[in-house]
Amino acid sequence: MNNNYYAILMAGGVGSRFWPVSTATCPKQFQDVLGAGETLVQTTFRRLASIIPRENIYILTNKNYNEVVKEQLPGVKQEQIVLEPVMRNTAPSVLLAAMKINQKNKDAVMMVAPSDHWIQGEQQFTKDLEFAFEAAANSEKLITLGINPTFPNTGYGYIKYDNPPNSRLMPVKAFTEKPDFKKAESFLAEGNYVWNAGIFIWSANVILQNFEKLLPEMYHLFAKGNPVWNTEKEQDFIDENYHKAHKISIDYGIIEKAENVFMIPASFKWNDLGTWGSLQEQLPQDINENTVINSRFLSFEAEGNIIRTEKNKVVIIEGLKDYIVLENDLVLVVMPKKNEQGIKEIREKVMKKFGDKLG
């Protein structure tokens, strides 16, 4: 295992499209949404620990989730948990982590990964990651993993790439955020587009150079913290300055503007688990195509439903087709699957009428 390899897990989101299971107090990355016996952040940490030293894996999350991270990842030290006082999208958090890691190890090669995605084929994932780390080490390359598109999904970003012969490293030509259906269809027809999984690998020093060039104001704001990184005074500096950073994603702020961006086609299966429908694609179904999570289910002419309850509850459904039935300790949601894109808005209405604690 290479001590120069590092990872940062992005674990600060609320996961509002998975409400009411995912809430502001315990979002989906800290939930066992797959019914697998471990939470998504636990699964991701375990997967990465097969190639990256455990002490080199950092968790970037909101200050409110510090205790749940320590509870779910008991081997992680407090210095590995980077606490954001406010949400500022992904660019500030990546810059902060890169500065911490670079100060600790000038030869560090780091990956950035979401903590709440589904990956099947862990051996293939490990091999792809090892290749990416080797390609990024001692080079100027910014590397992303691309997912072979299986249908014209309009909810994902796309990466256009060149295809040089006899190479797994594909130069990136362009990024497109969430195209409409016709454009997504044309991407698949062209054959040189992949889905953007939001997984990046680069030298810590190289990504800092790109921040200094492309987001200089943010870079110099955080560079003032160089004397305190990895010390007891670090959190005070973050609390005083983090909110001053521009709210922007790493994709838009750096990757889409940088040179020397390369893509490695992923050999594993991937899903961003962005909606309940995407979750259903990865889980087994009964003979009537019902997907049941954490429940004991008795069906009477019920078809194509998603059922997710707390604590192995007995659920009886009759005559319901293509619905979502979801609950937590305080909220029950029953709605057509076709309307699931509106869950985020429903959550906001519930919080406005009944109180923030329900969100």
Side-chain angles (χ1 to χ4, degrees):
M1 194 169 292
N2 194 320
N3 289 326
N4 291 334
Y5 291 175
Y6 289 77
I8 56 175
L9 299 188
M10 313 300 283
V14 175
S16 55
R17 296 194 186 278
F18 270 80
W19 183 83
V21 174
S22 178
T23 64
T25 55
C26 193
K28 75 167 182 172
Q29 60 267 29
F30 304 119
Q31 299 265 6
D32 180 13
V33 297
L34 292 167
E38 61 182 2
T39 66
L40 293 175
V41 73
Q42 288 173 327
T43 300
T44 305
F45 188 93
R46 174 181 51 78
R47 182 187 301 122
L48 294 180
S50 66
I51 182 174
I52 298 167
R54 297 175 67 89
E55 64 273 16
N56 288 0
I57 302 176
Y58 289 72
I59 296 87
L60 274 63
T61 191
N62 188 276
K63 288 186 73 173
N64 296 330
Y65 306 141
N66 186 47
E67 295 305 315
V68 70
V69 170
K70 291 195 291 185
E71 178 184 340
Q72 294 195 5
L73 302 173
V76 167
K77 299 177 182 178
Q78 184 65 56
E79 64 188 47
Q80 294 172 250
I81 307 173
V82 183
L83 301 175
E84 304 167 307
V86 292
M87 296 181 71
R88 280 293 180 268
N89 214 315
T90 53
S93 55
V94 171
L95 174 58
L96 176 61
M99 285 185 165
K100 282 172 56 66
I101 290 170
N102 188 61
Q103 188 181 83
K104 184 169 284 190
N105 183 347
K106 299 299 183 183
D107 297 320
V109 184
M110 55 185 280
M111 74 169 296
V112 178
S115 61
D116 55 0
H117 289 185
W118 174 89
I119 286 174
Q120 183 181 25
E122 296 200 0
Q123 287 187 343
Q124 294 95 321
F125 173 81
T126 299
K127 289 180 180 179
D128 288 349
L129 198 55
E130 286 176 337
F131 179 77
F133 271 116
E134 291 171 2
N138 302 313
S139 81
E140 302 291 315
K141 295 182 177 68
L142 303 178
I143 296 173
T144 183
L145 300 184
I147 308 299
N148 183 45
T150 55
F151 67 101
N153 193 315
T154 59
Y156 294 157
Y158 285 72
I159 302 170
K160 183 179 183 180
Y161 62 92
D162 275 335
N163 192 1
N166 304 317
S167 176
R168 288 182 64 194
L169 277 174
M170 314 295 188
V172 170
K173 299 183 69 176
F175 291 84
T176 303
E177 285 298 319
K178 297 181 180 180
D180 60 34
F181 186 79
K182 286 186 177 180
K183 185 170 285 187
E185 276 192 322
S186 71
F187 289 169
L188 267 66
E190 287 186 46
N192 63 331
Y193 284 83
V194 290
W195 288 335
N196 183 359
I199 301 174
F200 305 105
I201 304 93
W202 44 54
S203 157
N205 185 53
V206 168
I207 193 63
L208 290 177
Q209 292 174 12
N210 277 272
F211 267 100
E212 186 174 15
K213 177 181 178 181
L214 299 171
L215 291 175
E217 184 176 345
M218 186 185 299
Y219 175 86
H220 291 295
L221 170 66
F222 283 9
K224 296 176 183 177
N226 286 337
V228 301
W229 298 137
N230 306 308
T231 73
E232 293 180 355
K233 296 181 179 180
E234 175 184 292
Q235 192 62 49
D236 289 337
F237 176 86
I238 295 172
D239 292 345
E240 293 172 9
N241 293 280
Y242 196 81
H243 69 279
K244 302 174 186 177
H246 182 46
K247 189 176 183 180
I248 191 170
S249 71
I250 187 69
D251 301 69
Y252 186 73
I254 300 294
I255 305 302
E256 295 182 15
K257 299 176 174 66
E259 301 174 355
N260 296 318
V261 181
F262 292 80
M263 185 277 298
I264 297 173
S267 56
F268 53 87
K269 294 182 179 179
W270 168 91
N271 190 302
D272 76 336
L273 297 184
T275 63
W276 287 105
S278 66
L279 177 67
Q280 188 175 34
E281 297 171 8
Q282 313 307 331
L283 294 174
Q285 302 173 11
D286 66 15
I287 58 173
N288 294 314
E289 298 184 347
N290 296 298
T291 297
V292 183
I293 308 163
N294 292 343
S295 311
R296 290 174 288 168
F297 182 52
L298 188 57
S299 169
F300 297 93
E301 298 182 1
E303 302 176 10
N305 301 296
I306 303 172
I307 299 99
R308 204 282 188 182
T309 65
E310 297 292 312
K311 302 175 182 176
N312 206 27
K313 183 172 291 184
V314 174
V315 179
I316 301 97
I317 295 180
E318 180 177 1
L320 204 62
K321 183 176 181 180
D322 294 331
Y323 266 70
I324 304 174
V325 180
L326 310 166
E327 71 151 13
N328 63 22
D329 290 340
L330 298 174
V331 178
L332 171 66
V333 175
V334 181
M335 66 184 298
K337 284 197 301 186
K338 65 181 181 180
N339 296 340
E340 70 167 342
Q341 293 295 335
I343 285 182
K344 184 176 180 179
E345 289 72 25
I346 291 173
R347 170 182 176 265
E348 292 172 356
K349 292 179 180 179
V350 168
M351 291 168 63
K352 184 176 181 179
K353 183 169 184 177
F354 300 112
D356 291 348
K357 291 183 179 180
L358 297 179

